[in-house]
Amino acid sequence: MKKFLYLLLLLPLGLLPTSCDDDDNKVPDVGVQATVSGGVVDNNTIYVVQGEPLVIEQMQIVNHTGKDAAIGVVNYYIDGVGAGQSLVAPYRFEFFTDNLPVGNHVLTAEMPVYVVDYPICFGAFSFPLQVVEDASALPGEPSTTTFNGVIREK
C-alpha cells in the first residue's frame, strides 16, 4: 500500500510544464557584413601600408528572419589584443598602423547579435592582415571591400 501511495505522490511531477523550445532553431538566419577601406584585398588577405589607416566603414546585420534584429557593441582586436570598440551604427572604426610592425597580423571583430524570439548569438570576423613598408609592396590599389562574417552560439 505504501508503494502505491508513493507512486500517487510522484504522479503530479509528470504534469509539470515542459519546454516547447525548438532546440534545432537556436541560431537565427542572420549574417554580418563588414565594409573595409584603406587596404588592398588579395587572396583573402588585407594588405595595408604601415602608417596608413585601415578603416571599418560599416558593420551591418543581414537579417533573413523577418523579425527585428540588431548588433551590439563591436569589439576589435589585432593579434588578440583589444584595439577598440564601436558602440553605435554604422560601427565605423579606424585602425592606425603607425606602431604596427611590418609583417603578418590578424584583425578580428566580434559582436553580440540580438534577434527577437531567439537567444543571443555572436557575429565574428577574422581577417589576415599584412602590413607592408610602402605602397610598392601592395598587390594592387587600395579599395573598399565587403566581407561576410560568421554567426555562432555562445
Side-chain angles (χ1 to χ4, degrees):
M1 184 71 166
K2 281 186 181 180
K3 288 182 184 180
F4 183 69
L5 248 169
Y6 288 125
L7 288 174
L8 284 176
L9 290 174
L10 291 175
L11 184 61
L13 292 177
L15 302 175
L16 289 176
T18 57
S19 172
C20 296
D21 191 13
D22 183 6
D23 290 338
D24 294 335
N25 204 10
K26 287 185 179 178
V27 178
D29 186 14
V30 296
V32 286
Q33 288 183 336
T35 303
V36 180
S37 68
V40 176
V41 177
D42 186 50
N43 290 328
N44 292 321
T45 299
I46 301 172
Y47 292 82
V48 64
V49 175
Q50 186 180 40
E52 295 295 321
L54 179 67
V55 181
I56 305 292
E57 296 288 347
Q58 177 177 328
M59 191 76 65
Q60 67 183 15
I61 191 165
V62 180
N63 187 357
H64 302 288
T65 65
K67 303 199 178 238
D68 289 338
I71 296 173
V73 174
V74 181
N75 295 294
Y76 298 98
Y77 305 90
I78 292 183
D79 296 333
V81 177
Q85 295 180 321
S86 291
L87 304 177
V88 294
Y91 305 102
R92 188 177 192 284
F93 192 80
E94 191 168 336
F95 294 93
F96 297 99
T97 61
D98 300 351
N99 297 320
L100 203 55
V102 171
N104 295 318
H105 302 278
V106 177
L107 170 62
T108 307
E110 296 177 345
M111 75 282 321
V113 176
Y114 306 104
V115 181
V116 173
D117 294 335
Y118 287 91
I120 298 171
C121 57
F122 294 88
F125 292 90
S126 187
F127 309 110
L129 178 64
Q130 176 76 37
V131 177
V132 297
E133 283 189 51
D134 56 47
S136 66
L138 293 174
E141 291 296 316
S143 63
T144 300
T145 306
T146 300
F147 292 95
N148 291 315
V150 296
I151 300 289
R152 58 182 165 73
E153 292 180 60
K154 298 178 188 174

